[in-house]
Amino acid sequence: MGVDLSASHRESHDAAQAAREVIELLEMLWERGRDAVSPAPVSTSQLRVLYVLERGDGINLRTLGEALGAAPSSASRLCDRLQALGFIERAPSEVNRRERQLRLTSRGESYLLDLRVRREEALLSAIATLPPTTRRALTEGLTGFRGAVDAVAPMPGATRLDETARPA
């Protein structure tokens, strides 16, 4: 018995479309949360810098640029604004005196924590309206999706969902 590839392809297409729609909704929620956390909200690119530094404390600009898929000069400009906001600091490298290490400051860590709390509150209010079986299915589906993304396009410094209790 052969597998109906067209049905499989259609299911994948439908799932991709549903995921895209959810991502667009999440982006709108995320923007609201980011605007509420700080009077000087960071851009999406700057937020990516904060996430990378959170996972790779003490990395240099070259490594940051590689993680972002950007030139070190572009990464440096992103860091300039984040440093001006007090979210990151540049310190001399302990290994190479010519390099600077990038680290989140306590203010940067607090920003990410507050942002995650606001985002989780927004998600909880929506998820709480779902019936228990749908919530379980959502958890299972998102966990599977995360594993599939990790397998196809792992994020630099990312941890597996089941290895950390902290939401992304």
Side-chain angles (χ1 to χ4, degrees), residues 51 54-55 113 116 120 139 143 146 150 157-168:
Y51 288 147
E54 181 181 45
R55 293 180 179 109
L113 179 64
R116 284 185 173 116
E120 190 169 328
T139 300
T143 301
R146 170 79 187 265
D150 285 347
T159 57
R160 298 274 313 150
L161 187 59
D162 54 351
E163 293 176 5
T164 180
R166 188 176 52 215

Side-chain angles (χ1 to χ4, degrees), residues 28-141:
M28 289 188 290
L29 279 175
W30 287 176
E31 288 301 317
R32 277 191 241 150
R34 191 168 48 214
D35 292 347
V37 170
S38 170
V42 298
S43 70
T44 301
S45 297
Q46 291 164 341
L47 187 57
R48 287 179 55 219
V49 169
L50 295 177
Y51 288 147
V52 171
L53 293 182
E54 181 181 45
R55 293 180 179 109
D57 190 48
I59 64 173
N60 61 24
L61 274 175
R62 180 184 48 77
T63 304
L64 175 62
E66 289 171 3
L68 297 173
S73 59
S74 296
S76 181
R77 285 190 297 276
L78 290 169
C79 289
D80 289 343
R81 172 128 161 76
L82 291 169
Q83 188 173 9
L85 290 170
F87 289 173
I88 69 167
E89 63 183 5
R90 294 174 171 140
S93 170
E94 298 166 1
V95 178
N96 182 342
R97 293 177 49 189
R98 294 183 309 169
E99 288 185 353
R100 307 285 283 170
Q101 293 178 322
L102 303 169
R103 297 194 186 299
L104 282 181
T105 62
S106 58
R107 184 171 180 187
E109 290 170 353
S110 293
Y111 176 83
L112 287 178
L113 179 64
D114 291 346
L115 180 62
R116 284 185 173 116
V117 166
R118 289 191 185 272
R119 287 177 170 181
E120 190 169 328
E121 287 170 355
L123 289 172
L124 284 171
S125 65
I127 292 171
T129 66
L130 299 173
T133 55
T134 304
R135 284 194 301 266
R136 285 190 294 276
L138 177 63
T139 300
E140 183 179 323

